[in-house]
Amino acid sequence: MFQTGIHGRSSIGSAYLAGVLAYGWQEVTTDRNALLTGLRANFDANSISGRIETGYRHASSPGSLVPYAAAQFTTLFLPNYTEQSLTGDNTFALSYPARRYRSAWLGIIVHSVQSVIILVGTIVAVLT
């Protein structure tokens, strides 16, 4: 398995723009038995995903509101899948064509950020 990604963020005052792009590679091996015949398949799957988000932080006491818009996607690329028999003929072997699965999401959201003060003995922590 291999995964990598890049993230960026830029702010101007209380406004921001953020984005991320990621790639993943998975080496997959499947084994199964069908009527005393062992079957195996090997393939590599690839995925790519990304997200872009923009918003504005409205500060107020004791917290803030952050309205933002975001869009994200994920695509999974699966190659041809063909099983091979380990001990005999390929009568029960499965075979599938290559496939591409896509998922996308778009939203406009308002996020609330609250400040919380925790007192533990003489230690004071402010969580935001």
Side-chain angles (χ1 to χ4, degrees), residues 32-39 83 87 89 91-93:
R32 71 182 184 97
N33 291 313
L35 295 176
L36 303 175
T37 300
L39 300 164
E83 292 178 327
T87 58
D89 63 19
T91 303
F92 299 104

Side-chain angles (χ1 to χ4, degrees), residues 25-118:
W25 169 79
Q26 297 82 29
E27 181 180 20
V28 181
T29 300
T30 64
D31 290 308
R32 71 182 184 97
N33 291 313
L35 295 176
L36 303 175
T37 300
L39 300 164
R40 174 172 285 164
N42 295 303
F43 63 94
D44 295 336
N46 296 279
S47 64
I48 187 167
S49 59
R51 178 180 173 98
I52 189 164
E53 178 179 316
T54 186
Y56 189 87
R57 186 177 186 129
H58 294 282
S60 64
S61 183
S64 61
L65 291 176
V66 183
Y68 68 93
Q72 67 186 42
F73 74 93
T74 301
T75 303
L76 177 63
F77 303 92
L78 296 176
N80 295 332
Y81 175 88
T82 302
E83 292 178 327
Q84 296 295 320
S85 175
L86 300 175
T87 58
D89 63 19
N90 290 319
T91 303
F92 299 104
L94 299 175
S95 182
Y96 297 102
R99 293 187 179 254
R100 180 180 301 171
Y101 295 95
R102 294 181 184 143
S103 173
W105 177 86
L106 176 66
I108 299 174
I109 296 106
V110 175
H111 179 73
S112 173
V113 179
Q114 298 288 327
S115 296
V116 178
I117 297 176
I118 300 173

